[in-house]
Amino acid sequence: MTRNDAVVEFETYRPMLLGLAYRLLGSMWDAEDVVQEAWLRWSDTDQAAVKEPRAFLVTIVSRLALDQLRSARVRREAYTGPWLPEPVPTSQIGPLDTAELRDTLSYATLHLMERLSPPERAVFVLREAFDLPYDEIAAIVDASVANCRQMHHRASVRLAEGRDRFQPNPEEHARLLLRFLDAAQGGDLSALTSMLSDDVVAWTDGGGKARAALHPIEGREKVVAFITGLTRRYAIEEVRVLDVNGAPALWFRSGGEPQIAAVDLRDGLIRGVYAIRNPDKLRCGFPQEG
């Protein structure tokens, strides 16, 4: 195989590999680093001896991502305020040919996956999103097939407790977001309250670089007070509905600072509000200028 053939072969799989690494890490920057390292290893390999390039590359990317994820967990524990995954425009994240690929990309699911251990997260993503057989997954994470089955079961149960697989269509989702924003801006407490579940939680990620709450805001009354307090104090400008992580999300400026706001829905009500304000997490394909 010539170098040009090796490049073509790798580029064929790059979108899929990027999507895999992103699901494992929750960070597009880290995912791009992992895929670049995978390319270097691929280019140094005798490709003619590789019987299944896809399986070979999935193994490399998964192991590299696992190594990064283990060290990233330590960094995230020292993060200023809540750490939220880096949002990504849907168009930049690779194929979404199945419900499982789309579901594991959703912002709420990525946030929930932070509860899992690195091996549990890898097993869940490889099995759920990429439908790898357990024997291949076992070889990747260096565990027995039986242990991988157990990890997948534990991860599935933990994630099922916090997500609703029956989501509205994009048009309904976008309309809900805009109604939510209108109620917040207009100070319509009744409308805002009616859209939130009793156990709603709001997270804001500023990373010490933008104004944000240092702890999650829990409960309907506290979230309503928090949101209306912000909208009274800071003007909201340049509102856009963007396709983020496979679903509509709001991009806007609040007090002159850009942010992405996404919501998690359960039984038609907002159960989670995610406000990403850290500018380092808003560089990947989002508007930068006013």
Side-chain angles (χ1 to χ4, degrees):
M1 182 182 290
T2 67
R3 179 172 178 79
N4 185 62
D5 291 335
V7 170
V8 171
E9 184 84 24
F10 186 86
E11 291 303 316
T12 299
Y13 295 111
R14 180 184 288 274
M16 179 272 294
L17 297 172
L18 195 59
L20 168 60
Y22 174 70
R23 286 170 175 85
L24 291 175
L25 296 166
S27 165
M28 181 57 81
W29 280 31
D30 290 343
E32 289 173 342
D33 287 345
V34 162
V35 172
Q36 180 60 27
E37 177 62 26
W39 156 249
L40 295 176
R41 297 194 182 191
W42 170 253
S43 63
D44 288 339
T45 299
D46 179 7
Q47 291 92 18
V50 178
K51 294 181 179 180
E52 297 183 18
R54 182 182 187 276
F56 179 85
L57 291 169
V58 164
T59 297
I60 290 176
V61 166
S62 298
R63 288 175 175 170
L64 288 170
L66 266 172
D67 289 342
Q68 279 223 21
L69 187 57
R70 291 185 178 103
S71 61
R73 287 171 71 89
V74 176
R75 297 196 305 272
R76 291 169 190 178
E77 289 174 359
Y79 193 79
T80 302
W83 186 94
L84 293 177
E86 180 186 336
V88 178
T90 302
S91 61
Q92 298 187 13
I93 202 57
L96 293 176
D97 301 331
T98 66
E100 291 77 14
L101 280 168
R102 184 170 290 276
D103 183 56
T104 52
L105 177 65
S106 80
Y107 200 83
T109 300
L110 282 174
H111 183 241
L112 285 169
M113 283 198 286
E114 289 296 310
R115 302 177 181 180
L116 306 178
S117 69
E120 285 176 339
R121 185 166 182 165
V123 169
F124 180 80
V125 168
L126 290 169
R127 182 64 179 173
E128 196 82 4
F130 296 91
D131 198 29
L132 261 64
Y134 280 111
D135 58 340
E136 291 185 21
I137 297 174
I140 291 171
V141 302
D142 193 23
S144 69
V145 168
N147 195 12
C148 287
R149 290 182 184 275
Q150 291 173 350
M151 283 192 280
H152 181 261
H153 176 72
R154 287 198 303 267
S156 298
V157 169
R158 295 187 72 181
L159 296 186
E161 293 171 351
R163 60 182 176 151
D164 186 351
R165 295 177 70 95
F166 300 99
Q167 296 293 311
N169 64 46
E171 292 76 17
E172 293 172 340
H173 196 135
R175 286 196 294 270
L176 182 146
L177 283 171
L178 292 173
R179 288 201 309 272
F180 176 70
L181 184 62
D182 287 343
Q185 284 184 292
D188 190 338
L189 301 184
S190 177
L192 194 58
T193 300
S194 70
M195 300 174 70
L196 304 175
S197 68
D198 289 336
D199 58 351
V200 63
V201 181
W203 291 269
T204 57
D205 179 344
K209 299 183 178 183
R211 293 186 302 272
L214 294 179
H215 303 283
I217 312 300
E218 301 183 21
R220 180 189 284 164
E221 292 184 3
K222 290 183 179 179
V223 170
V224 167
F226 176 69
I227 291 173
T228 54
L230 287 177
T231 54
R232 282 196 298 267
R233 187 173 181 181
Y234 303 109
I236 293 178
E237 306 166 334
E238 302 179 55
V239 178
R240 309 182 196 184
V241 178
L242 302 180
D243 193 355
V244 178
N245 287 77
L250 295 174
W251 178 95
F252 56 91
R253 294 186 189 277
S254 175
E257 297 177 343
Q259 72 179 63
I260 292 284
V263 298
D264 177 27
L265 303 176
R266 172 66 67 91
D267 299 326
L269 296 175
I270 296 173
R271 191 184 190 193
V273 180
Y274 311 100
I276 304 92
R277 310 202 73 207
N278 185 340
D280 292 343
K281 295 185 177 182
L282 298 175
R283 297 177 181 176
C284 182
F286 296 117
Q288 299 297 314
E289 303 297 332

